[in-house]
Amino acid sequence: MSASTRRHEILERLVADGYVEAKALSRDLGVDASTIRRDLDALVRGGKAERTHGGARPVDGTHSEIPYAVKENVRRAEKAAIAHEAAGLVRDGDSVILDSGSTTYQVATSLRHRSGLTVITNDLRIGKYLATLPDVRLLVAGGELLGSVFTLVGERTVEFLTDYSVDWTFLGADAIDPDAGITNSNTLEIPVKRAMIAAAARTAVLADSSKFGQRALARVAALTEVDTIITDSGARTGEEDRYGTRLRCVDADADAP
């Protein structure tokens, strides 16, 4: 992998996750720590990142400069497999909350063959897609727009969600850790995610394996507050003991539609 390709991958992770850890980058990208330090320093010089202890975070404006299309192409096969598994939990006639994000967008597309669904979302891209499906009753939460990720947040979003009870919530996550639980880097999304959990009879967290063993800024929920965690097979080895029977691992090459 060339330096430019590697730095593009690091930047994609910054946008998707709000934080990158140097140790994890070294492991995932197959290079030594000094190479990652040079990559991060180059992104800092280019105004794309700020160094933190052990890693880096995006600078102000980075999210708005990189389109959503970049985020949705990160680990696309893994996200498609996770979404396919999640959609398999939904039955015709169910009511569903879809959290914002590229993986939950994939869930929306995987639900296109279901009939009689009611779907609530705070993601404008998901709402736009579902509006094209004739057999879906769509409810879009109000609130303030986080334009870079097409997400509605705020008190009005939370108030909207408290009026509903659904069969399933499918929740995105920036990081998952057996002790810290489910965490998120953007604190504005935390009350919304908690309201989504509270509104559902069952909650499934959808996250690719790169987010496991990580901790983001703010806590969303303990692992015991959700019913299922769906990820790709990269998290399979040894993770069952740490996350319990709620963990489902799917193979990207086998389960994607």
Side-chain angles (χ1 to χ4, degrees):
M1 181 183 293
S2 68
S4 61
T5 300
R6 192 172 56 248
R7 290 167 190 175
H8 183 69
E9 166 70 13
I10 294 170
L11 191 55
E12 288 178 341
R13 294 192 186 195
L14 279 170
V15 173
D17 301 335
Y19 175 77
V20 291
E21 182 187 32
K23 183 179 179 180
L25 289 173
S26 177
R27 179 191 67 236
D28 294 346
L29 301 179
V31 295
D32 58 36
S34 61
T35 299
I36 294 298
R37 286 195 296 270
R38 288 194 294 272
D39 291 336
L40 294 178
D41 289 342
L43 292 175
V44 170
R45 289 194 300 272
K48 299 295 185 183
E50 293 178 353
R51 288 302 300 269
T52 65
H53 179 69
R57 63 185 180 191
V59 298
D60 292 341
T62 298
H63 289 285
S64 61
E65 293 171 7
I66 299 178
Y68 191 100
V70 172
K71 288 177 60 178
E72 69 181 353
N73 285 320
V74 176
R75 294 182 174 81
R76 190 175 183 89
E78 288 84 351
K79 291 176 181 179
I82 292 166
H84 182 59
E85 180 78 7
L89 300 173
V90 179
R91 298 180 178 180
D92 291 346
D94 276 357
S95 53
V96 174
I97 291 176
L98 293 179
D99 189 13
S100 65
S102 53
T103 306
T104 47
Y105 183 91
Q106 294 271 2
V107 176
T109 65
S110 295
L111 291 174
R112 64 189 179 275
H113 301 303
R114 293 286 186 272
S115 62
L117 297 182
T118 296
V119 181
I120 301 170
T121 188
N122 67 326
D123 187 306
L124 295 184
R125 293 183 75 254
I126 291 174
K128 181 180 179 181
Y129 172 76
L130 291 174
T132 67
L133 304 182
D135 201 25
V136 171
R137 181 188 181 196
L138 173 65
L139 295 90
V140 178
E144 181 178 354
L145 179 66
L146 296 177
S148 61
V149 287
F150 299 93
T151 302
L152 295 163
V153 297
E155 292 182 5
R156 295 198 178 195
T157 315
V158 174
E159 291 172 0
F160 180 92
L161 291 166
T162 58
D163 287 335
Y164 295 94
S165 296
V166 301
D167 296 303
W168 279 101
T169 280
F170 294 106
L171 201 73
D174 287 344
I176 299 178
D177 179 84
D179 298 318
I182 301 149
T183 53
N184 205 69
S185 57
N186 190 326
T187 57
L188 294 174
E189 295 181 277
I190 301 299
V192 176
K193 290 177 180 288
R194 288 176 176 162
M196 290 177 170
I197 294 172
R202 290 158 292 180
T203 296
V205 177
L206 315 180
D208 69 72
S209 58
S210 70
K211 298 178 180 179
F212 280 69
Q214 307 295 325
R215 301 186 183 198
L217 178 63
R219 182 185 175 99
V220 175
L223 297 185
T224 54
E225 295 179 70
V226 304
D227 300 276
T228 304
I229 302 169
I230 305 176
T231 188
D232 60 86
S233 57
R236 178 175 293 153
T237 305
E239 298 295 344
E240 290 88 346
D241 292 339
R242 304 180 72 203
Y243 295 94
T245 56
R246 63 178 51 86
L247 185 69
R248 294 190 183 201
C249 298
V250 296
D251 294 325
D253 57 350
D255 292 300

